[in-house]
């Protein structure tokens, strides 16, 4: 048991170090959400008294969701596709390491990136945005961010297993940016046309954002349980698709190496 835990820890550590040692991935992932929050949640509100606190809190929640999407989608999407094309994924599947450890390690790596993004955003919101909410609310937002990383891990994995390395990068960008916009992370959802508001109901980022806003008392009034159920169902669908694609990757390897 200890040996298996050590193997999982080493696998996650290597995946995390790979991400942190790639400046083109790590720097935008960690810095971009903070810069967006500073611009829209702090600088644009400078000198405005009425509603300033609410806007800062509103943008904090939305850019927390925006921030956690990137490491989950790109770590699984583009990276898995590249590792699959290079033969690294096949090597993992035939190695003594349990195949699921490869996925668990990437999930842990994405969770640590989410944790780092949350710490940076929370610190910036408290120091520059004058966001003062209860300690319990901070803890709930952090827990929500960590739990909310998984649906995007599943979606990213499905993309990485389905498309080529170049195609996965393009598809991930095509999913990431429109999903953020249509979920109301950049523009409040109630300012969008009605048909776009209805489209948001099938996006995990929208439900995650609404759950976060409900924690700080800025939700749209819909049931928290509805958002939880919708987010869970979407996550299950992504997980089933990813599992089926992952199984299709693994079965040919086992058949080829069967004694």
């Amino acid at each position: 048991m200890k040996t298996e835990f050590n193997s999982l820890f080493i696998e996650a550590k290597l995946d995390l170090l790979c991400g942190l040692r790639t400046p083109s991935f790590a720097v935008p992932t960690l810095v971009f959400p903070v810069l967006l929050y500073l611009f829209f949640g702090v600088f644009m509100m400078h000198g405005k008294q009425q509603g300033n606190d609410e806007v800062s809190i509103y943008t904090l929640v939305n850019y927390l969701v925006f921030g956690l999407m990137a490491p989950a989608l790109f770590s699984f999407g583009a990276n898995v596709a590249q590792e699959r094309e290079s033969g690294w994924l096949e090597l993992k599947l035939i190695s003594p390491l349990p195949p699921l450890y490869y996925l668990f390690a990437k999930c842990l790596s994405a969770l640590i990136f989410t944790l780092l993004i949350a710490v940076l955003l929370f610190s910036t919101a408290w120091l520059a945005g004058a966001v003062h909410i209860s300690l319990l609310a901070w803890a709930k937002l952090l827990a929500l961010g960590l739990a909310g990383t998984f649906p995007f891990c599943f979606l990213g994995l499905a993309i990485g297993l389905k498309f080529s390395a170049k195609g996965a990068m393009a598809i991930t960008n095509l999913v990431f940016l429109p999903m953020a916009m249509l979920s109301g992370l950049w523009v409040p959802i109630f300012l969008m046309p009605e048909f776009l508001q209805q489209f948001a109901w099938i996006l995990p980022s929208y439900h995650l954002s609404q759950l976060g806003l409900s924690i700080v008392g800025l939700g749209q009034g819909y049931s928290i349980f509805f958002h939880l159920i919708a987010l869970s169902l979407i996550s299950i669908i992504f997980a089933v698709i990813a599992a089926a694609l992952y199984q299709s990757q693994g079965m040919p390897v086992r058949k080829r190496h069967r004694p």
Side-chain angles (χ1 to χ4, degrees):
M1 184 68 179
K2 183 178 180 181
T3 302
E4 292 181 355
F5 179 79
N6 289 337
S7 299
L8 177 59
F9 174 78
I10 292 172
E11 185 77 12
K13 178 182 176 181
L14 292 175
D15 191 83
L16 177 63
L17 288 176
C18 180
L20 291 174
R21 290 175 179 175
T22 307
S24 59
F25 171 76
V27 174
T29 298
L30 296 174
V31 175
F32 197 41
V34 177
L35 292 179
L36 286 174
Y37 172 73
L38 282 172
F39 182 77
F40 290 105
V42 178
F43 297 149
M44 288 191 66
M45 293 296 105
H46 183 69
K48 298 180 180 179
Q49 299 299 325
Q50 187 175 4
N52 186 28
D53 293 342
E54 288 191 357
V55 171
S56 294
I57 297 173
Y58 184 91
T59 51
L60 168 64
V61 172
N62 283 342
Y63 287 123
L64 173 63
V65 176
F66 175 76
L68 66 85
M69 291 170 60
L73 286 173
F74 286 96
S75 177
F76 277 89
N79 287 359
V80 169
Q82 184 177 8
E83 291 171 359
R84 179 169 57 86
E85 284 194 353
S86 66
W88 185 243
L89 178 57
E90 183 175 356
L91 181 63
K92 289 286 186 181
L93 289 171
I94 63 175
S95 70
L97 188 72
L100 287 179
Y101 278 26
Y102 171 76
L103 302 180
F104 289 158
K106 284 195 172 296
C107 282
L108 287 175
S109 177
L111 287 173
I112 292 174
F113 266 101
T114 295
L115 180 62
L116 293 174
I117 292 168
V119 170
L120 290 173
L121 273 174
F122 290 176
S123 301
T124 304
W126 186 66
L127 294 173
V131 172
H132 300 294
I133 56 179
S134 68
L135 183 61
L136 180 60
W138 288 115
K140 286 182 177 180
L141 286 177
L142 178 59
L144 180 68
L146 293 174
T149 303
F150 288 101
F152 302 102
C153 289
F154 299 144
L155 177 58
L157 178 61
I159 294 172
L161 292 174
K162 181 64 177 178
F163 300 97
S164 65
K166 291 183 178 179
M169 178 62 75
I171 295 296
T172 302
N173 276 299
L174 190 61
V175 169
F176 173 54
L177 295 176
M179 184 181 290
M181 181 184 67
L182 295 175
S183 299
L185 303 184
W186 292 350
V187 178
I189 192 71
F190 55 82
L191 296 180
M192 295 183 180
E194 186 175 350
F195 75 95
L196 289 181
Q197 294 184 37
Q198 295 175 350
F199 183 77
W201 289 92
I202 64 173
L203 302 177
S205 45
Y206 168 73
H207 296 288
L208 194 60
S209 169
Q210 291 303 311
L211 287 171
L213 292 173
S214 297
I215 290 174
V216 294
L218 296 176
Q220 290 184 302
Y222 298 109
S223 170
I224 294 178
F225 294 104
F226 173 79
H227 290 299
L228 283 172
I229 293 172
L231 185 61
S232 299
L233 288 176
I234 294 170
S235 301
I236 291 172
I237 292 172
F238 289 162
V240 169
I241 295 173
L245 290 171
Y246 190 70
Q247 184 74 4
S248 70
Q249 295 293 323
M251 286 303 293
V253 173
R254 286 193 288 272
K255 288 179 180 179
R256 239 187 344 261
H257 291 84
R258 183 178 298 166

